Amino acid sequence: MISDKVLVVFSGGQDSTTCLYWAKKHFREVFALTFIYGQKHVREVEVAANIAQAAGVHFDTMDISFVSHLGRNSLTDTSLPMDEAIPEGGMFPNTFVPGRNLFFMSVAAVYARERGIFHLITGVSQTDYSGYPDCRDSFMKSLNVTLDLAMGEQFSIHTPLMWRDKADTWALADELGVLDIVRNETLTCYNGIPGDGCGTCPACKLRRRGLEEYLARKH
Ligand code: ZN
């Protein structure tokens, strides 16, 4: 699939960086869009800008901070300790930002349309989705239809990681020849530490488990 232009919803983390390089392989011109939504670590944006520059893709940011004022979650509210799993009696861990992917993809689609871009990439995965409903394949397919109807266009939302767990995502990075870049330059850690991170937050644990599993499989 060699197509024209594509927009990657890009956070500078492991998943979206792998998607960025997947995009470079499959599309002629790549745009990376990073959202500022009140996340605790503005450092994320710097990390994203650096990765995009090194990858030689267009980079832009969009401030949608209103998303964090709509609901309470531990990614944007420092007074809340982070859940590691779905709490008893609850539906989602408190790292869930309600509506995040809905807003991300909707803003991305309008941004893309203005530039004649109709391919969108997001690094969501149903396999490792931690119970987030907006990471599910059914949601992305439904949203694709909604965006088409909303704007009278034909968008294609690509989700290269949808059926990959973290180990498979490391495998894809390796396949694309960017395992070291993804390992050393990206920021996935909830405590804002790049590369291998703090090692103790839920994101670091998931990431490390995946890497160890992939490296064990490789040897
Ligand atoms: Zn961490």
Side-chain angles (χ1 to χ4, degrees):
M1 174 203 24
I2 293 288
S3 186
D4 197 13
K5 296 194 268 186
V6 68
L7 179 79
V8 182
V9 174
F10 183 59
S11 71
Q14 176 194 354
D15 295 340
S16 64
T17 301
T18 305
C19 286
L20 190 75
Y21 280 94
W22 184 86
K24 273 173 62 97
K25 185 177 170 186
H26 294 285
F27 294 86
R28 191 177 54 78
E29 198 173 1
V30 178
F31 295 72
L33 183 62
T34 295
F35 290 109
I36 297 162
Y37 62 97
Q39 59 271 58
K40 287 176 193 170
H41 302 287
V42 181
R43 175 115 193 251
E44 265 187 45
V45 178
E46 259 173 59
V47 166
N50 290 339
I51 296 169
Q53 192 187 20
V57 305
H58 304 277
F59 177 76
D60 204 354
T61 60
M62 191 64 66
D63 191 333
I64 53 164
S65 297
F66 69 90
V67 171
S68 67
H69 306 310
L70 290 171
R72 201 153 177 252
N73 69 82
S74 64
L75 285 194
T76 59
D77 184 341
T78 44
S79 69
L80 281 180
M82 277 175 208
D83 289 336
E84 299 223 2
I86 299 172
E88 214 170 310
M91 285 178 75
F92 318 115
N94 67 6
T95 48
F96 175 54
V97 181
R100 178 167 52 177
N101 282 327
L102 174 67
F103 291 120
F104 278 13
M105 295 307 288
S106 301
V107 172
V110 177
Y111 179 99
R113 183 185 173 278
E114 286 300 309
R115 289 156 182 79
I117 306 166
F118 298 97
H119 291 278
L120 306 171
I121 298 179
T122 168
V124 297
S125 166
Q126 178 158 341
T127 312
D128 268 342
Y129 81 134
S130 312
Y132 299 161
D134 60 350
C135 290
R136 288 178 295 190
D137 190 51
S138 57
F139 169 67
M140 283 301 163
K141 289 203 161 78
S142 157
L143 184 61
N144 201 145
V145 173
T146 297
L147 293 173
D148 292 353
L149 292 172
M151 284 175 269
E153 304 285 0
Q154 283 218 304
F155 289 99
S156 298
I157 298 179
H158 304 271
T159 54
L161 308 183
M162 185 59 77
W163 307 111
R164 290 174 182 266
D165 62 15
K166 278 279 182 275
D168 297 332
T169 300
W170 283 112
L172 179 60
D174 204 9
E175 226 176 278
L176 294 166
V178 292
L179 184 84
D180 288 341
I181 291 174
V182 173
R183 180 162 186 187
N184 300 321
E185 309 299 329
T186 63
L187 195 164
T188 306
C189 174
Y190 287 151
N191 291 311
I193 302 166
D196 288 339
C198 74
T200 56
C201 76
C204 280
K205 284 184 186 164
L206 189 65
R207 172 175 161 139
R208 191 184 56 220
R209 247 196 328 262
L211 182 60
E212 283 168 1
E213 194 187 318
Y214 171 63
L215 293 176
R217 197 198 293 170
K218 194 180 170 188
H219 294 299

